[in-house]
Amino acid sequence: MHFFPHRHAADLSLETDESQSSASTTLSGARKRTHVRFVVLALLAICTMINYLDRTVLGIAAPAMTKDLGIGAAVMGVVFSAFSWTYALVQVPGGVFLDRFGSKVTYFLALTFWSFFTLLQGFAVGLKSLLLFRFGLGISEAPCFPTNSRVVATWFPQQERARATGIYTVGEYLGLACFAPSIFWLVATFGWRAPFFVVGAVGIVFAIVWWLVYREPHHSRRVNRAELDYIAEGGGLEPPGGRETLKFSWANVGKLMRLRQISGACLGQFAGNTTLVFFLTWFPTYLATERHMGWLKVGFFAIMPFLAAAVGVMFGGWVSDVLLKRTGSANIARKLPIIVGLLGASTIIAANYVQSDTTVIAILSVAFFGQGMVGLGWTLISDIAPKNLMGLTGGLFNFCANLAGIITPLVIGFIVAATGSFFYALAYVAAAALIGALSYIFIVGDVRRVEIAE
């Protein structure tokens, strides 16, 4: 759907000052690139921050909510998991929708509806309505990261994609670290319903901003030919004739999963998300019950691993692009930081063998730093996904990654219930990380764009 006419280089040159009439001056101006892609990146970073805030508001509001609605802890666990079920199941349909309607429409609808379902949670009156709204939230958020990946692959040359991915991904962690205190204050001052209203309303407003600001590269009024050429030379932009997208078929799903690059990356991302889900769900309980920390101490220490993960995201993207520039090898630049990150995440098992709280937090921070580097997997998948199935590929990738959101809380809960300890739970997280590293070493193979024909 094209809302703005394509602008040619000649049109852009007419916008320069009329006094610059010489051909050499015009050509010199044309060679100076605009930086519209960074405005697009800022949009993605804010969208991702809102995405994760909307997911986690429930966790902050839960203590007051459970008392008000009469929901027990076990049932609340089901409510927490409801998001992951629909979020994972709708990854493939969300990817198909993305391939069919493009990034602008998909993100606008997703952001609008997930913000709407966040807001509706403030009106929940019991378990049924709360579950319904959580299911809706999961469905609506499903296209977020496939769209992020598609936008980065479209707007950024290969040598900048890792850092671009790191910048928008860091919103997952910084949003929680920076805005969680404000959400706690809203709950304490106005009750548990208030943060759902505020965060949901902010998301709906930003959906309008996205619709007004975002354009595909060839349809933007602000980008010049020099920037378009720079992006195209690095493998970005859509095909000149428009989106050459294959129609959805289960046969294409099978073809994708039979490619070692896709299946290996999916397994590796599942492994990385296992560590992430531990920190998003069981981490505070681990500090309080296993390490016997008071809640104030938990709140203080819990920030540190999240900050470490944010640094890991940025570091992984930076070092990947540096390696790509110096070696020219996508295999080294994309796979090596992820492998190192997964090996770092596996060190979480060392927390089983130390007594000092400070040392435990240091170990967990190293592990979460490593997990942050695994966010580079989205750059890798944007480098290898078929141009005509980028949405479907991103959906499959995110589906496999977010199976960890279903499996990990259940496995850890079973282990803790059966043993009364987190010892084997941390061992499970570490083992998953090691399997992910082995997947990138032995399964993924060459990092190159794969092709699937009709």
Side-chain angles (χ1 to χ4, degrees), residues 197-215:
F197 297 148
V198 172
V199 177
V202 168
I204 292 173
V205 170
F206 197 77
I208 298 172
V209 174
W210 168 270
W211 181 262
L212 294 175
V213 176
Y214 181 77
R215 300 288 183 270

Side-chain angles (χ1 to χ4, degrees), residues 217-262:
H218 283 302
H219 307 146
S220 174
R221 288 174 175 259
R222 304 178 184 223
V223 66
N224 69 3
R225 175 55 56 186
E227 185 175 13
L228 290 176
D229 290 343
Y230 174 71
I231 296 169
E233 288 168 5
L237 306 182
E238 293 182 341
R243 293 190 300 272
E244 298 172 356
T245 300
L246 296 181
K247 294 180 179 178
F248 171 77
S249 71
W250 287 108
N252 285 335
V253 174
K255 290 177 183 178
L256 287 171
M257 293 308 295
R258 285 194 292 271
L259 294 170
R260 60 185 296 180
Q261 290 94 338
I262 305 295

Side-chain angles (χ1 to χ4, degrees), residues 24-40:
S24 61
T25 304
T26 303
L27 288 173
S28 176
R31 282 195 296 268
K32 187 176 180 180
R33 294 194 301 265
T34 51
H35 300 284
V36 178
R37 64 193 184 280
F38 298 122
V39 176
V40 171

